[in-house]
Amino acid sequence: KNRRLEVNTEKKTNKSIIINILYAGKIGEGQGLDKIIPEIASRMEEKTRFQIIGDGLDRQKLEDRIRQTKIKNVYVIDPIER
């Protein structure tokens, strides 16, 4: 329920900027993150960094897809207690 998408930028070098994309929420079938994130992240590897904070039934699928595709710009982080 408590989903938040945050986008900000940070300078990598004088000429390039990294876009940070944060998702915090459930990682389940309904969200489809295991299908969406690896595809987008691989296309934008030099320009973006994805941080996924959460847990759910499809978290393992997401982590497996990230490993299989050898994507380096996606980080899956454990949620914290409320």
Side-chain angles (χ1 to χ4, degrees):
K1 285 185 173 181
N2 296 329
R3 286 184 264 172
R4 182 175 172 171
L5 182 63
E6 181 177 300
V7 178
N8 62 39
T9 59
E10 78 179 39
K11 289 185 178 185
K12 186 176 179 183
T13 66
N14 291 338
K15 295 182 182 180
S16 66
I17 292 179
I18 297 285
I19 298 171
N20 291 304
I21 300 172
L22 171 67
Y23 171 87
K26 183 177 176 184
I27 303 173
E29 187 175 340
Q31 289 71 34
L33 298 179
D34 60 304
K35 297 171 182 79
I36 298 167
I37 298 298
E39 177 73 25
I40 295 170
S42 66
R43 291 181 183 192
M44 303 177 72
E45 194 162 9
E46 298 296 318
K47 299 176 184 176
T48 60
R49 177 173 46 209
F50 291 83
Q51 293 178 309
I52 312 297
I53 301 172
D55 206 358
L57 295 175
D58 282 5
R59 179 178 170 152
Q60 190 61 52
K61 278 187 190 178
L62 174 61
E63 290 175 338
D64 290 346
R65 289 277 298 134
I66 291 166
R67 272 192 292 283
Q68 289 168 356
T69 53
K70 298 180 179 157
I71 297 169
K72 303 286 187 218
N73 60 331
V74 178
Y75 305 91
V76 180
I77 303 163
D78 289 334
I80 59 172
E81 296 293 322
R82 291 182 184 211

